[in-house]
Amino acid sequence: DAMVIQNPRYQVTQFGKPVTLSCSQTLNHNVMYWYQQKSSQAPKLLFHYYDKDFNNEADTPDNFQSRRPNTSFCFLDIRSPGLGDAAMYLCATSRDSGGASTDTQYFGPGTRLTVL
Amino acid sequence: QKEVEQDPGPLSVPEGAIVSLNCTYSNSAFQYFMWYRQYSRKGPELLMYTYSSGNKEDGRFTAQVDKSSKYISLFIRDSQPSDSATYLCAMTPGTASKLTFGTGTRLQVTL
């Protein structure tokens, strides 16, 4: 089945220790997104890639970086995690950003990050 | 004021009940409206998708959009324990891929 896969599902890191979260997709979608979702809050878009074009949200901290080496994979790097970065990180894909009918976003299961 | 407001619940109903979930929004540019269902420790999955005002029905689920009131609803008929999840509304102007989500309403359907 075509899908969005996130690894690991649970990640524990120490305060200030860099961490990388991984997302892969078999949908062959052009667009990939990273969201941060804290408990009982709406998913917050951090950035997205349209193909290789990187689009950063204005309020995304510099501590968060992303890489997309190819169509299938996208990584979220947190350079110096703080306690406030503990959250669920969701990866999503969509086929194209050209029209809403193709804007349906398909989410992975998420990676729950704990910062000690 | 948040762009999208959604009652966080939790909402607890008995099996078989009709459930009404709602969101209000302030941005009149929103044209496309979605409902996502999120089970515990899982990512959201698209449940319903509606353009502009009107109703859309899919099985036990009906989505309503009233753009004049900036109000959207999701109705679940004959609710089942398997419907227990958090329901997130989301919306977009349609000119870009960015979705604006509500905070979600947690629904519990009891036997």
Side-chain angles (χ1 to χ4, degrees), chain A residues 15-90:
Chain A
F15 183 93
K17 186 175 180 181
V19 67
T20 294
L21 309 182
S22 169
C23 178
S24 64
Q25 53 126 343
T26 60
L27 297 160
N28 202 33
H29 283 171
N30 288 330
V31 194
M32 294 187 77
Y33 310 79
W34 280 104
Y35 288 87
Q36 179 192 64
Q37 186 180 27
K38 296 187 177 180
S39 181
S40 301
Q41 294 187 21
K44 178 181 179 298
L45 183 64
L46 296 173
F47 24 60
H48 75 276
Y49 276 93
Y50 184 85
D51 198 10
K52 294 183 180 178
D53 292 333
F54 178 70
N55 298 272
N56 197 31
E57 293 300 301
D59 58 354
T60 298
D62 292 340
N63 198 25
F64 291 86
Q65 304 285 320
S66 185
R67 297 169 283 137
R68 189 178 185 187
N70 54 53
T71 300
S72 301
F73 285 87
C74 197
F75 300 97
L76 170 62
D77 301 308
I78 308 177
R79 292 193 296 189
S80 182
L83 298 178
D85 296 328
M88 174 80 88
Y89 289 88
L90 295 164

Side-chain angles (χ1 to χ4, degrees), chain B residues 9-107:
Chain B
L11 179 63
S12 183
V13 301
E15 183 179 9
I18 297 174
V19 176
S20 172
L21 305 167
N22 311 295
C23 286
T24 58
Y25 63 95
S26 57
N27 187 350
S28 58
F30 289 141
Q31 297 278 351
Y32 300 88
F33 303 91
M34 297 111 183
W35 286 95
Y36 281 83
R37 177 175 60 196
Q38 186 174 21
Y39 290 113
S40 181
R41 296 187 175 84
K42 297 285 182 67
E45 58 177 329
L46 183 66
L47 197 59
M48 297 285 284
Y49 178 106
T50 317
Y51 169 70
S52 196
S53 286
N55 294 359
K56 185 174 183 178
E57 189 174 319
D58 184 2
R60 295 184 296 111
F61 300 90
T62 300
Q64 279 188 355
V65 175
D66 182 349
K67 289 190 67 184
S68 62
S69 302
K70 298 190 179 67
Y71 187 88
I72 69 170
S73 301
L74 177 70
F75 296 95
I76 307 175
R77 290 185 300 280
D78 188 24
S79 55
Q80 303 295 310
S82 59
D83 296 327
S84 299
T86 296
Y87 290 81
L88 298 143
C89 64
M91 45 201 80
T92 174
T95 56
S97 297
K98 181 176 178 178
L99 289 178
T100 301
F101 284 88
T103 53
T105 299
R106 191 156 63 91
L107 172 67

